[in-house]
Amino acid sequence: METKPSSPVSIRLSSHPDSHKQPAPLNWGADSPAERAPVVGTLTDKRNAIGAHAGSYAIYRALAIAAGTLDQVHVPDLTDTAPAEPLGPHKQWSSPDKIISLDPYGHNVSQFWADQLEEGWDIRPSIAVTKARLYMPELNQAIASGRLKADNEILTESNEARVTKAAIEPVWYLPGIAERFKIKESDLRRALYEQTGGMFTELVTRNDLKIFLPPIGGITAYIFGDLQAITDPERKVACRVHDECNGSDVFGSDICTCRPYLAHGIEVCIETAQQGGCGVVVYNRKEGRALGEVTKFLVYNARKRQPGGDRAETYFERTECVAGVQDMRFQELMPDVLHWLGIEHINRFVSMSDMKYDAIVQQGIDISERVALPDDLIPDDASVEMDAKKAAGYFTLKVPSDDKLKVAKGRGLHE
């Protein structure tokens, strides 16, 4: 679809409303995309969001424009970019208390707002849905041991898993964020403004703009099996919510259990999909418990150099000494992506984290079974981490008090 490029908005928009350039009205939580209207985070006269699309990559876009390698008024050609698999709408999309940190309509702007695009609105997708194949060496081990078998649908003969995957940029509805954390919206805006060094003046000067596109990492959801199984109460859903750990996930560092748990989660998701259900892995860009990799490595040094060496009893203490807190992932926002996918019940939740479990059930999603990481998958060097988490009550494998619900032990897949 061809679109007419819009001219950049006046810099005045960053501090004061312009009577000739009012933002496009937006009704978050409306029953349809037509009633809701699009999120416009581009520098146009319809702009109704603070910040810019692409999260942290927006800074690279600015650098490309400054370097002269990108035209600042370039408008993407969205031809043939529609989702590779239909997704939604789900009833949660029109619940303003269920989804407040992403745009549920952000994957299909070409369909939902074709007329506005034709008129020249510069509306950018904040979600993309495609299909791919996933390969991990751990799948070979699962097949060799007989835990998984190739079916050439979910798992190919070459040990690759077929997946639908969605990349999601953060889109924050500020009143909803404030309500979720039980704080005043004005206090939230002030903290965001001050703690980013005044980067986003509209946070404190434009109360009429309710959408914020924060420059942070996003989410990738990997879906194994039939997406329709997610909303079918007769079919099982497995889920692993995983927070980024580059050292372990990508490079195989054995100081933590991140990659083993990620691989285990994928295995459970594949098995559930092969049984006629669906598996979902949610990968959040929250490196080092959202403290960042620099802080994470500083803590590694502090833990190993302290008298007596790395010890479980000082695991969280050393983190708090460096970072000021033990964890900044704020799992309260995490269930939003599950609501976007239409999940209301998780049969197999592959996690030992009470923080993740509590955040999900408090948002109205039931969990039947929690699948623990088998002891034989815990690297030797990660024993300190596991002991520290046990001592701190990090996980209890609790489930709702219902005789029909059980706690998974070990692999828990065939019990």
Side-chain angles (χ1 to χ4, degrees), residues 296-306:
K296 182 177 177 179
F297 286 9
L298 293 174
V299 172
Y300 284 166
N301 286 344
R303 282 169 48 192
K304 293 178 179 180
R305 289 172 178 167
Q306 64 186 333

Side-chain angles (χ1 to χ4, degrees), residues 143-174:
I143 292 171
S145 69
R147 298 196 305 270
L148 289 178
K149 293 182 179 179
D151 59 1
N152 217 27
E153 291 186 14
I154 309 298
L155 191 58
T156 71
E157 297 293 340
S158 57
N159 300 348
E160 295 174 317
R162 290 190 172 96
V163 297
T164 300
K165 60 181 183 179
I168 303 168
E169 293 176 5
V171 177
W172 286 9
Y173 176 56
L174 292 173

Side-chain angles (χ1 to χ4, degrees), residues 213-375:
L213 307 177
I216 59 176
I219 303 167
T220 309
Y222 295 84
I223 305 144
F224 302 79
D226 183 7
L227 270 68
Q228 302 304 312
I230 290 177
T231 54
D232 186 343
E234 301 301 317
R235 302 162 77 180
K236 291 185 176 181
V237 174
C239 179
R240 165 67 184 166
V241 175
H242 192 89
D243 295 322
E244 179 182 29
C245 178
N246 186 62
S248 179
D249 296 343
V250 179
F251 294 101
S253 170
D254 64 355
I255 197 172
C256 63
T257 58
C258 295
R259 183 180 173 99
Y261 225 143
L262 177 60
H264 184 51
I266 289 172
E267 180 180 331
V268 174
C269 285
I270 290 173
E271 185 190 46
T272 304
Q274 288 181 326
Q275 294 172 349
C278 184
V280 177
V281 172
V282 176
Y283 195 90
N284 297 293
R285 293 324 193 281
K286 296 179 180 178
E287 179 66 57
R289 302 197 206 109
L291 302 172
E293 200 165 38
V294 169
T295 295
K296 182 177 177 179
F297 286 9
L298 293 174
V299 172
Y300 284 166
N301 286 344
R303 282 169 48 192
K304 293 178 179 180
R305 289 172 178 167
Q306 64 186 333
D310 197 6
R311 306 190 308 279
E313 60 268 26
T314 58
Y315 178 88
F316 288 110
E317 176 188 330
R318 296 310 299 146
T319 300
E320 194 164 357
C321 285
V322 176
V325 294
Q326 295 180 5
D327 196 310
M328 289 199 309
R329 284 174 290 181
F330 292 110
Q331 301 294 359
E332 292 91 339
L333 299 178
M334 172 266 291
D336 286 25
V337 64
L338 305 180
H339 288 310
W340 177 68
L341 290 168
I343 293 175
E344 296 185 63
H345 181 86
I346 297 172
N347 299 84
R348 294 171 171 172
F349 183 51
V350 191
S351 175
M352 297 158 73
S353 167
D354 284 352
M355 288 189 294
K356 293 177 182 177
Y357 172 87
D358 290 343
I360 291 172
V361 298
Q362 286 169 8
Q363 280 294 304
I365 299 173
D366 296 327
I367 294 176
S368 296
E369 174 186 342
R370 293 177 68 178
V371 181
L373 181 66
D375 290 341

Side-chain angles (χ1 to χ4, degrees), residues 347-349 351-352 354 357 367-373 395-413 415:
N347 299 84
R348 294 171 171 172
F349 183 51
S351 175
M352 297 158 73
D354 284 352
Y357 172 87
I367 294 176
S368 296
E369 174 186 342
R370 293 177 68 178
V371 181
L373 181 66
F395 52 82
T396 59
L397 287 180
K398 58 188 176 183
V399 293
S401 55
D402 188 322
D403 292 338
K404 295 181 294 183
L405 305 182
K406 66 178 182 177
V407 174
K409 296 181 180 179
R411 291 197 178 277
L413 302 182
E415 296 179 5

